[in-house]
Amino acid sequence: MGYNTILTQVDGKVATITLNRPQVLNALNDELMDELGAALLGFDADDNVGCIIITGSEKAFAAGADVAKMAKYSLQEVYRHDYISRNWEQIRKVRKPVIAAVAGYALGGGCELAMMCDMIMAADNAKFGQPEVKLGIIPGAGGTQRLPRAVGKAKAMDLALTGRMMDAQEAESAGLVARIFPAADLLKEVSAIAKNIADMPLLTAMMVKESINAAYETTLSEGIRFERRLFHACFGTNDQKEGMAAFVEKRPAKFTNS
Ligand code: HXC
């Protein structure tokens, strides 16, 4: 599949999507988000893929929505064409695990895209921020909702009201980032983590993702109920039988994703 703004690669069961508009630090426009959505849904449908990585360059994951393009938008246009909602959130339809591998800037829509992924792995040079306020807009791709859920109200307010950047260390201690790696090793390390995840029984990994995501959408008792039903459903899979038999028989499991 030929894309203009992203690169895609599949290595074993791991698919990697690289945002590729280096001249504008991977600023996000409709074309890129359309292509990203198409690639993500394609890999989600591909039985040979078990985990997806989204990454950028060493300098920028994405420096935000394309400001030059956005500067000319009118209220009528953004409302009529449902800017953001129309095509920026395809990633939410993906049921397989998606990891953001973030080096350099993840600002505005770039930070929001990273937060739409299931987890963020950061290079030690990563910088996160929601600087929209300085442009006369508020975060529009989930920043005011996902950031406080990740780092708490105080830090979310601090970041979104001042527009300051947060480095990888601060982001990890605040809970936004799962792990930090030296920039030069980021992709190698994240690919190894993705391979590890892709080798897990796929249906179970999908259920883990679905259940953790439910924690952000519901009450504790409803969330626990949802978890319990999926937990029960695991006992209907061949991979539960195989995983537990392999443990008991002290041999490696051979999962069939069934
Ligand atoms: C369009 C961008 C861009 C962006 C960088 N560029 N960010 N173009 N949209 N978001 C372009 C620059 O204009 C420049 O083009 C080239 O990329 C390199 O950027 P420099 O600024 O020269 O690099 P540097 O000095 O290293 O500074 C890096 C930076 C800065 C700190 C990341 O570029 C910056 O502040 N960018 C904007 C960050 C931002 O405000 N993001 C939020 C956008 S609003 P030329 O042609 O000069 O070489 C947003 C809304 C989200 O995201 C809501 C909906 C998704």
Side-chain angles (χ1 to χ4, degrees), residues 180-198:
I180 303 176
F181 300 103
D185 301 336
L186 179 71
L187 260 192
K188 183 177 59 126
E189 297 284 357
V190 177
S191 298
I193 295 166
K195 181 182 179 319
N196 182 226
I197 292 171

Side-chain angles (χ1 to χ4, degrees), residues 52-74:
I52 304 167
I53 299 170
I54 301 179
T55 194
S57 69
E58 200 163 313
K59 173 145 195 209
F61 177 74
D66 193 321
V67 179
K69 183 92 184 168
M70 229 178 354
K72 304 181 198 84
Y73 288 165
S74 65

Side-chain angles (χ1 to χ4, degrees), residues 23-25 27 59 63-68 70 83-84 88 105 107-110 112 131-132 135 137-141 165:
Q23 67 286 4
V24 286
L25 303 183
K59 173 145 195 209
D66 193 321
V67 179
M70 229 178 354
Y83 179 49
I84 306 299
W88 285 50
Y105 298 109
L107 303 177
E112 291 169 308
E132 288 93 336
L135 299 168
I137 55 172
I138 71 167
M165 293 184 211

